[in-house]
Amino acid sequence: MLSRVAERIYWMSRYMERCENAARLINVNTKLLLDLPRGVSVGWGTLVDISGGGDFFQKDTDNADERAVMRFMLADTNNPCSLISAITYARENARITREVMPSEIYELINDLYWYLKENLARGTARRERHILLEAVISRVQQFTGMLAGCMSQNDAYSFIRLGRNLERADMTSRIVDVGASRILPRAYEDNSSNEPYANILWMSVLRSLSGYQMYRQHVLDRVNAEDVVMYLFQDPLFPRAVEHCLGELADCVARLPNNDEVLRVLASVRRQLKTADFTVLIDDGLHDYIDNVQAEIASIHQVVAATWFLPEVQVAS
């Protein structure tokens, strides 16, 4: 298949996954308000940090208010990680490459685009926000299921899986890194009376990935930092765990030509992940380790792009 087609469907898949991830994060952060004790507030700026949109927010994320963050995360066209930006990019990539996918795929993406355009204003109010975000999650899952059930398992489908799983791995690492330390305010760290609510924090991290029930089946113990981090990074069976996503990537890459360099980089990242001792890292060094994982995930994308996509055109200044 053509390199430009492969690149566009890869990014279409990443942007659709980004839509679902953003919807999950906002939904869970909103629901967290109902679980926290009186006097403990939700840090809304955390959502900006997790999404990587701090450079575009132009405000102090530590003191960001709910309404400003909601506008930024849902409807700000200058934010490449907002819901409206992600679905716009996904729609454009799908429109250009619609001949390689079932026609229902573009129709579904287009319907979601217009649904968001017409209903985004409802997202600033908590009462309406849940309905909007659940609709986004449901339609992206429908998109994923329709591809799995209706599209030939060819090279195009492999690039779609590549984009989806790389985006998932990146978002899971971001949630653990930023969400675990900042969804509850710094008062949690400074005031030992808040310590009993640590499990609420970790439950919200799991629920943002729809992993709470699967975690409880896998780990027969109370929700705690060490087990949650190990589960979300090293479990090979949970679809949103980093190790599972990297395993899916390896399977996709093995089906594509000229894959030696990508497989080598993937094997190196998976080796580092499997040998990580989170028992030690939880106490000291977890943030630096996750930063390294995110850099390695970015390197996978760079190798994928260099192997199968068109080189970037250098524009003379």
Side-chain angles (χ1 to χ4, degrees), residues 139-153:
R139 294 185 189 199
V140 176
Q141 289 178 331
Q142 183 182 352
F143 161 82
T144 303
M146 188 177 293
L147 284 169
C150 302
M151 185 169 178
S152 297
Q153 311 292 292

Side-chain angles (χ1 to χ4, degrees), residues 27-312:
N27 214 12
V28 169
N29 214 51
T30 302
K31 290 178 179 178
L32 188 59
L33 289 169
L34 303 176
D35 296 327
L36 294 178
R38 183 172 297 180
V40 180
S41 60
V42 172
W44 289 99
T46 301
L47 299 181
V48 178
D49 292 329
I50 292 175
S51 69
D55 293 339
F56 303 91
F57 190 53
Q58 299 179 341
K59 293 181 181 179
D60 179 11
T61 56
D62 288 340
N63 300 307
D65 62 275
E66 179 179 355
R67 185 171 292 273
V69 171
M70 286 303 99
R71 284 197 298 265
F72 180 74
M73 292 291 295
L74 294 174
D76 192 337
T77 55
N78 294 319
N79 173 20
C81 300
S82 69
L83 267 179
I84 192 61
S85 293
I87 191 60
T88 299
Y89 299 147
R91 177 175 178 259
E92 179 62 14
N93 283 309
R95 182 188 66 81
I96 294 173
T97 58
R98 58 195 301 179
E99 72 278 357
V100 304
M101 298 175 290
S103 59
E104 293 87 355
I105 297 298
Y106 175 74
E107 293 170 7
L108 191 154
I109 296 174
N110 191 51
D111 286 346
L112 178 55
Y113 169 82
W114 286 110
Y115 173 81
L116 284 174
K117 291 281 283 186
E118 294 168 3
N119 294 279
L120 272 179
R122 298 164 56 187
T124 56
R126 291 182 190 172
R127 183 173 298 179
E128 301 290 337
R129 190 182 306 157
H130 174 74
I131 299 173
L132 172 72
L133 297 176
E134 287 294 333
V136 172
I137 294 169
S138 176
R139 294 185 189 199
V140 176
Q141 289 178 331
Q142 183 182 352
F143 161 82
T144 303
M146 188 177 293
L147 284 169
C150 302
M151 185 169 178
S152 297
Q153 311 292 292
N154 53 16
D155 288 351
Y157 186 65
S158 292
F159 281 110
I160 289 173
R161 290 176 62 205
L162 267 178
R164 178 193 309 137
N165 284 284
L166 200 58
E167 188 71 23
R168 279 187 183 179
D170 179 67
M171 181 54 72
T172 296
S173 67
R174 288 177 182 273
I175 290 172
V176 175
D177 185 21
V178 185
S181 61
R182 296 186 60 196
I183 288 178
L184 288 180
R186 286 195 176 92
Y188 164 70
E189 298 175 1
D190 301 333
N191 186 352
S192 61
S193 65
N194 283 326
E195 189 171 351
Y197 304 108
N199 67 323
I200 297 176
L201 165 65
W202 290 107
M203 285 166 63
S204 72
V205 169
L206 288 167
R207 284 175 174 148
S208 67
L209 298 166
S210 290
Y212 178 67
Q213 288 177 291
M214 296 300 101
Y215 168 87
R216 294 309 298 265
Q217 292 179 20
H218 176 79
V219 182
L220 303 178
D221 194 3
R222 65 180 180 84
V223 176
N224 63 87
E226 181 182 325
D227 286 335
V228 172
V229 173
M230 289 177 62
Y231 181 69
L232 293 179
F233 271 92
Q234 295 179 325
D235 189 87
L237 302 179
F238 179 58
R240 294 183 180 274
V242 176
E243 167 58 21
H244 179 90
C245 293
L246 295 180
E248 290 288 299
L249 286 173
D251 181 66
C252 296
V253 170
R255 300 167 184 263
L256 296 169
N258 305 318
N259 56 19
D260 291 346
E261 181 63 16
V262 185
L263 285 174
R264 185 192 64 78
V265 174
L266 267 171
S268 174
V269 177
R270 295 182 76 185
R271 197 159 46 243
Q272 294 178 44
L273 193 66
K274 290 177 179 178
T275 57
D277 186 353
F278 288 105
T279 304
V280 175
L281 289 171
I282 285 289
D283 295 327
D284 183 33
L286 180 61
H287 177 73
D288 291 338
Y289 174 78
I290 296 178
D291 279 351
N292 182 63
V293 169
Q294 291 172 359
E296 294 290 347
I297 291 172
S299 73
I300 295 172
H301 162 72
Q302 292 167 359
V303 176
V304 167
T307 302
W308 290 302
F309 304 155
L310 292 175
E312 294 183 2

